[in-house]
Amino acid sequence: MAEHRTMQRGALLDAARSLLSEGGTEALTFPALAERTGLARSSVYEYFRSRAAVVEELCAVDFPVWAAEVENAMEQATTPEGKIEAYVRRQLDLVGDRRHRAVVAISASELDAGAREKIRAAHGGLIAMIVEALGDLGHAQPRLAAMLLQGSVDAAVRRIELAVAEEPAVIADTAVAMILRGVQGARG
């Protein structure tokens, strides 16, 4: 029975990812989850007490996976510039990934404290790595620079999500060039 419950929970999370990818957080409703999984709406409530609980669980499950991929790409790089480039490129590569699209939709929405805390925890390790790379470059304000750098990545993610103008590779190349030039020019 426990195994069956785990499968149902997994199916609900998968359905939630699809709904988020397709229509953002507005699309994530209990009737839609019930329809996607073939469960009765009352059954959905047995697993999650609210939409916020679904989002919180996705944050707990998906953000660490996403963060680990970015971290792994950074660890392959041998220079501070390489680490910064890997940090930017891996995040932008993951935009096409269905799991990451759900993460982007969650990040863009109004979140409750529990979900925000889980995202912050997952991002914390990444930000620490990028702060370290900026410090290694001799940046005067590595923490501030890390936050601004992430803002640039977020803007590039939104541009890729629009899928109307430039190719994702062009957006990634432009973001990397801007960021690397910017951090080079702001050494202490």
Side-chain angles (χ1 to χ4, degrees), residues 40-109:
R41 202 183 312 181
S42 58
S43 298
V44 178
Y45 282 99
E46 288 175 31
Y47 293 91
F48 297 104
R49 64 188 183 286
S50 65
R51 225 164 64 130
V54 178
V55 168
E56 202 173 314
E57 177 116 358
L58 278 175
C59 290
V61 173
D62 290 358
F63 266 90
V65 172
W66 171 85
E69 291 204 31
V70 177
E71 203 169 307
N72 188 37
M74 289 177 77
E75 283 168 357
Q76 306 299 311
T78 53
T79 64
E81 291 90 346
K83 287 184 189 308
I84 292 165
E85 180 167 354
Y87 177 84
V88 175
R89 285 196 188 277
R90 194 67 193 117
Q91 287 188 65
L92 299 182
D93 287 347
L94 290 169
V95 177
D97 180 285
R98 187 172 68 93
R99 174 169 285 197
H100 184 60
R101 277 207 301 278
V103 163
V104 169
I106 291 168
S107 301
S109 67

Side-chain angles (χ1 to χ4, degrees), residues 102-126:
V103 163
V104 169
I106 291 168
S107 301
S109 67
E110 290 300 306
L111 295 171
D112 70 352
R116 261 200 312 275
E117 200 40 59
K118 288 190 168 58
I119 291 173
R120 225 191 325 273
H123 266 284
L126 282 181

